[in-house]
Amino acid sequence: MTTVFIDGLGLIGASLATFIKEKNSSIRLLANDPNNENLNYMREQGLLDKACSFEEGAKQADIIILASPVAVICQRLSELAELPLKEDVLVSDVGSSKVQIEQSAQPLMAKGVAFLAGHPMAGSHLTGAKNVDTSRLVNHTYFLIQENCNQEQVAQFEDLLAAAHFDFRLVNAKSHDQIVAASSHLPHMVAFALASTVNQAREASTVDWGKPAAGFLDATRIAKADATMWTSIFLSNPKQILAELDDFEKELSRLKQAIENKNATELFDDLKAAQTARLQMEKE
Amino acid sequence: MTTVFIDGLGLIGASLATFIKEKNSSIRLLANDPNNENLNYMREQGLLDKACSFEEGAKQADIIILASPVAVICQRLSELAELPLKEDVLVSDVGSSKVQIEQSAQPLMAKGVAFLAGHPMAGSHLTGAKNVDTSRLVNHTYFLIQENCNQEQVAQFEDLLAAAHFDFRLVNAKSHDQIVAASSHLPHMVAFALASTVNQAREASTVDWGKPAAGFLDATRIAKADATMWTSIFLSNPKQILAELDDFEKELSRLKQAIENKNATELFDDLKAAQTARLQMEKE
């Protein structure tokens, strides 16, 4: 019997637990979470076999999935290097920044423990097990970074989550961090800044604005995301995020200049290129 | 019998036509549009009584609604000042920038023609009559700028669109332009720049990114909007838009500095404030 231990039953951890049990209900699922609500909810759903401490779960597991905020994942990887784990254990994680996690996993990997870093490219601004909606993850991209494990272990992990029909893609940690800096971290940064700016304008206004337009609400939906989680993510991938932010600011300056210069042709060309790119990306 | 003439049967013009006919099917609806597809579609829906030239429609109308891009609205207002209109005609528009429109309407108003500027705060990145989905507009804010008309005419206009249950709000042109610069124009500008930036990073990458995450797609949905329309909007409200853009860049710099300084407390406080504001705005 395979025992899987998930550290962190938040939205992603609980989603993975659901997929694991869907594929193979005989798998024994252990979990640790600082929030009892998550544990109780998953127990009620019949998806959690036992809540336990991190140490207890880690020692018993054949597969360990670290699904806490990035800073905690890094801490847990150090702790795992000090624990007596099963010989064939496979350690994975779902953290959003891979270079830092790779560094934190060095002592663990130096002991010969198999580590397959991972990151499902889907989620929600909602948090916690009770907000799990597995349809948000099905068919999405799931990056894997084959740190210290063989093909068989990659296949074992993919099979564990087969119910989700993820589009697994092997990349290295640096490429991963570049990709998510642009495709996920930058959009979140922009959404947080946009929500703040518009709110300040609204509060400074003497006029009641009424219901916000759908465009603004969509553009800032991800600013409803958890501030603790995103503080951790932004600080774990600073170099790549700042590089993307520079590129974004340059793009914004181009549009700004076209407006200042009343250059309709240049402005139209830039907007048209952005629109075309956006429509194209949606199709992929 | 009341005759309404709509110049421009795009998404907004066709939506208003639908509401008008829904409330009072005996109203005679005339329309002009450079795109025959829009006219044919609305005729097939039984919502258009007659397609006609701008001049012909304007002369016969009791109510004229200008629903073309802002630059065209300004042009039409000048043309209207030269045409023999019905004595009690009420002219309105749906343009996104009001100060410029107000200026363009001066010759018309100087002739004593009643002008009630307007702007429904809802829409879609989709364009054209065939994409009308009136549920996108129902219950939304509709700003009115009482330029040169009396209370009775405001009431007449609100009654014409009663089927939409708009939340009509009277503001002045300058306030309107400040509000939309922040709540609509800035989000669009940001979405266009974000879509371009992420696309460039994706094209420069040697790795296939797979399906884009839902967060990015939501944050840039409005970058799918029509480039011609948005060129016209950005160039019609430059001062206010550039002011909002400055505020946004300052906000982005705050986050950037917190990341550069690894200041988790400051970063968390900023993200939390943005998240709280965003959740609050949604409730309003």
Side-chain angles (χ1 to χ4, degrees):
Chain A
M1 193 182 56
T2 305
T3 298
V4 174
F5 169 56
I6 300 183
D7 186 50
L9 276 184
L11 189 90
I12 297 296
S15 296
L16 299 188
T18 309
F19 290 128
I20 291 167
K21 281 289 196 178
E22 187 179 335
K23 171 78 192 326
N24 189 344
S25 61
S26 73
I27 282 179
R28 188 164 168 252
L29 195 91
L30 312 180
N32 174 54
D33 196 293
N35 185 346
N36 275 325
E37 240 182 73
N38 288 334
L39 296 167
N40 291 339
Y41 180 84
M42 291 301 278
R43 204 184 280 114
E44 283 161 20
Q45 303 296 307
L47 295 169
L48 175 63
D49 295 299
K50 203 184 160 206
C52 59
S53 71
F54 180 73
E55 186 174 336
E56 197 185 338
K59 283 178 184 170
Q60 293 178 49
D62 299 295
I63 298 175
I64 298 172
I65 300 175
L66 305 174
S68 43
V70 180
V72 181
I73 291 175
C74 293
Q75 173 61 29
R76 291 309 202 191
L77 286 165
S78 305
E79 287 172 44
L80 285 179
E82 307 299 324
L83 289 175
L85 305 177
K86 279 195 179 177
E87 198 178 340
D88 293 333
V89 68
L90 174 65
V91 179
S92 189
D93 80 296
V94 301
S96 189
S97 310
K98 276 3 232 192
V99 171
Q100 197 176 93
I101 285 170
E102 188 177 54
Q103 282 159 2
S104 304
Q106 292 305 328
L108 182 70
M109 294 194 283
K111 287 184 69 182
V113 176
F115 180 48
L116 173 63
H119 183 208
M121 290 299 289
S124 169
H125 56 275
L126 300 170
T127 56
K130 69 177 186 304
N131 285 311
V132 163
D133 170 2
T134 53
S135 70
R136 284 183 208 271
L137 281 88
V138 169
N139 284 324
H140 270 73
T141 304
Y142 198 122
F143 288 116
L144 291 176
I145 299 96
Q146 197 172 352
E147 295 286 359
N148 185 40
C149 66
N150 56 40
Q151 274 314 106
E152 216 171 287
Q153 287 163 319
V154 173
Q156 178 194 14
F157 185 79
E158 293 186 359
D159 186 59
L160 185 73
L161 296 173
H165 302 285
F166 284 121
D167 175 17
F168 288 105
R169 287 168 186 263
L170 283 168
V171 291
N172 64 45
K174 201 180 162 196
S175 292
H176 169 276
D177 285 6
Q178 277 171 338
I179 294 171
V180 296
S183 66
S184 167
H185 302 172
L186 176 66
H188 278 82
M189 179 80 68
V190 164
F192 281 116
L194 184 59
S196 285
T197 308
V198 175
N199 182 54
Q200 281 157 28
R202 192 183 61 110
E203 287 188 339
S205 177
T206 52
V207 180
D208 182 346
W209 290 18
K211 195 173 163 183
F216 165 75
L217 291 177
D218 277 2
T220 54
R221 179 184 63 80
I222 50 179
K224 294 193 285 181
D226 185 58
T228 305
M229 185 174 118
W230 281 94
T231 301
S232 186
I233 291 174
F234 289 147
L235 292 178
S236 66
N237 193 21
K239 208 179 129 196
Q240 305 287 4
I241 291 175
L242 293 173
E244 290 304 324
L245 209 49
D246 276 350
D247 289 345
F248 173 71
E249 284 175 334
K250 276 179 208 141
E251 203 54 43
L252 217 48
S253 291
R254 281 172 61 88
L255 297 176
K256 196 170 160 174
Q257 262 193 336
I259 293 176
E260 278 169 351
N261 301 337
K262 300 184 178 41
N263 190 334
T265 313
E266 204 176 294
L267 186 56
F268 173 81
D269 288 349
D270 276 2
L271 301 185
K272 190 71 194 169
Q275 186 214 35
T276 306
R278 174 58 182 76
L279 289 167
Q280 180 56 33
M281 280 189 272
E282 184 165 277
K283 281 188 208 140
E284 290 182 358
Chain B
M1 193 182 57
T2 304
T3 298
V4 174
F5 169 57
I6 301 184
D7 186 49
L9 276 185
L11 190 91
I12 297 296
S15 296
L16 299 188
T18 308
F19 290 129
I20 290 168
K21 281 288 196 178
E22 186 179 335
K23 172 79 192 328
N24 189 344
S25 60
S26 73
I27 282 179
R28 188 164 169 254
L29 195 90
L30 312 180
N32 174 55
D33 196 293
N35 185 345
N36 275 326
E37 241 182 72
N38 288 332
L39 296 168
N40 292 337
Y41 180 84
M42 291 300 278
R43 203 183 282 116
E44 283 160 21
Q45 303 296 308
L47 295 168
L48 175 63
D49 294 299
K50 202 185 162 209
C52 59
S53 70
F54 180 73
E55 187 175 335
E56 197 186 339
K59 283 177 184 171
Q60 294 179 49
D62 299 295
I63 299 175
I64 298 171
I65 300 176
L66 304 174
S68 44
V70 179
V72 182
I73 291 175
C74 293
Q75 173 61 27
R76 290 311 201 189
L77 285 164
S78 304
E79 287 172 44
L80 285 179
E82 307 299 324
L83 289 175
L85 305 177
K86 278 197 178 175
E87 198 178 341
D88 293 333
V89 67
L90 174 65
V91 179
S92 188
D93 79 297
V94 302
S96 191
S97 310
K98 278 358 232 193
V99 170
Q100 199 176 93
I101 286 171
E102 188 178 55
Q103 282 158 3
S104 305
Q106 290 306 327
L108 183 69
M109 293 195 282
K111 287 185 68 181
V113 175
F115 180 47
L116 173 64
H119 184 209
M121 291 299 289
S124 169
H125 56 277
L126 301 170
T127 56
K130 68 177 187 303
N131 285 310
V132 163
D133 170 1
T134 52
S135 69
R136 283 183 210 271
L137 281 88
V138 168
N139 283 324
H140 271 72
T141 304
Y142 198 122
F143 288 115
L144 290 176
I145 299 94
Q146 196 173 351
E147 295 287 358
N148 185 39
C149 66
N150 57 39
Q151 272 316 106
E152 216 171 285
Q153 288 163 319
V154 173
Q156 178 194 12
F157 185 79
E158 294 185 358
D159 186 57
L160 184 73
L161 296 173
H165 302 285
F166 283 122
D167 175 19
F168 288 105
R169 289 168 185 265
L170 284 168
V171 291
N172 64 44
K174 201 181 162 195
S175 293
H176 170 276
D177 285 5
Q178 278 171 337
I179 294 171
V180 296
S183 66
S184 167
H185 303 171
L186 176 66
H188 278 81
M189 180 80 70
V190 164
F192 282 115
L194 184 59
S196 284
T197 308
V198 175
N199 182 55
Q200 281 157 27
R202 192 183 61 110
E203 287 189 339
S205 177
T206 53
V207 181
D208 183 345
W209 291 17
K211 195 175 163 180
F216 165 75
L217 291 178
D218 277 1
T220 55
R221 179 184 64 79
I222 50 179
K224 294 193 284 181
D226 184 57
T228 304
M229 184 174 121
W230 280 94
T231 300
S232 186
I233 291 174
F234 289 147
L235 292 178
S236 66
N237 192 22
K239 207 179 132 194
Q240 304 289 2
I241 291 176
L242 293 172
E244 289 305 324
L245 209 48
D246 276 350
D247 288 347
F248 173 71
E249 284 175 335
K250 276 180 207 142
E251 203 55 42
L252 216 49
S253 290
R254 281 172 61 88
L255 296 177
K256 196 170 162 175
Q257 263 195 332
I259 293 177
E260 277 168 351
N261 302 337
K262 300 183 176 49
N263 190 333
T265 312
E266 204 175 294
L267 187 56
F268 174 82
D269 288 348
D270 276 2
L271 301 185
K272 190 72 195 168
Q275 186 214 34
T276 306
R278 174 59 182 74
L279 289 167
Q280 179 57 33
M281 279 188 272
E282 185 165 278
K283 281 188 210 142
E284 291 182 358

